[in-house]
Amino acid sequence: MKHTLSVLVEDEAGVLSRISGLFARRGFNIESLAVGPAEQGGVSRITMVIPGDDRIIEQLTKQLYKLVNVLKVQDITETPCVERELMLLKVNASTSNRSEVIELSQIFRARVVDVAEDSLTLEVVGDPGKMVAIVQVLQKFGLKEIARTGKVALTRESGVNTELLKSLEAKV
């Protein structure tokens, strides 16, 4: 299972290096990593997606807390969250198929951010499942390049679990 960890750290040089070193020493992979300033000055939020079971994640959490600059570690995997990723996607698009590429990209609310003679560059923002889906749909045209950020996530103050709502909606 993949777990999403939200880690608050002091914004100091070398913190990310110490955290990634901790994972490397223990042989754990980080599938996704996003870092940026948090709501407080001098504090950064690191959002990581890590494969592993509950026991492994609990062990990693304890190890993270031992690092000097780590302020808070939260496993938000089962917590209602807002999750987003950004992806830039360069797709082959000649004059003969360009309108079809644009039409399909609009289904995913992707924006065209660059037009070239033989390609389109799209910007897609959404949950990780949306990223996988648009890549699958546009694969038939040929993908030239993909650049994708790591997942960023914040817990929902409302407590509403959108995954639960989606599953209920699908049953109706």
Side-chain angles (χ1 to χ4, degrees):
M1 179 176 173
K2 294 180 185 177
H3 287 261
T4 303
L5 296 182
S6 179
V7 183
L8 291 176
V9 298
E10 293 173 0
D11 190 10
E12 292 183 10
V15 174
L16 186 56
S17 176
R18 285 192 289 284
I19 289 173
S20 61
L22 169 79
F23 281 78
R25 283 190 304 276
R26 288 171 176 56
F28 294 115
N29 186 35
I30 300 172
E31 285 191 9
S32 171
L33 180 71
V35 184
E39 58 280 1
Q40 281 181 295
V43 176
S44 290
R45 181 180 309 277
I46 301 173
T47 307
M48 296 184 276
V49 177
I50 303 155
D53 59 25
D54 291 340
R55 185 185 60 75
I56 289 170
I57 299 304
E58 185 179 331
Q59 178 188 7
L60 281 173
T61 300
K62 288 177 183 175
Q63 294 295 317
L64 284 168
Y65 270 121
K66 290 180 181 179
L67 297 176
V68 174
N69 302 106
V70 173
L71 304 172
K72 183 178 181 182
V73 180
Q74 191 176 12
D75 183 354
I76 59 173
T77 308
E78 300 296 327
T79 307
C81 292
V82 177
E83 301 174 336
R84 294 291 182 268
E85 285 190 32
L86 166 69
M87 179 171 61
L88 296 174
L89 182 65
K90 196 177 294 182
V91 184
N92 289 325
S94 61
T95 53
S96 62
N97 67 3
R98 182 165 300 201
S99 61
E100 187 180 0
V101 172
I102 291 171
E103 194 175 303
L104 286 169
S105 68
Q106 287 173 342
I107 293 169
F108 293 91
R109 294 189 184 107
R111 291 182 340 128
V112 176
V113 293
D114 187 52
V115 179
E117 194 173 312
D118 62 344
S119 69
L120 291 173
T121 302
L122 306 172
E123 173 189 81
V124 189
V125 177
D127 62 70
K130 180 179 181 178
M131 302 299 144
V132 171
I134 194 170
V135 166
Q136 288 176 345
V137 167
L138 296 176
Q139 191 84 46
K140 68 180 180 182
F141 300 103
L143 303 176
K144 289 182 153 192
E145 288 182 75
I146 296 177
R148 191 170 167 180
T149 65
K151 177 174 27 173
V152 293
L154 289 176
T155 58
R156 290 186 177 269
E157 288 295 313
S158 65
V160 174
N161 185 341
T162 54
E163 294 303 315
L164 174 64
L165 293 176
K166 285 179 190 176
S167 69
L168 292 175
E169 193 175 88
K171 292 178 184 178
V172 176

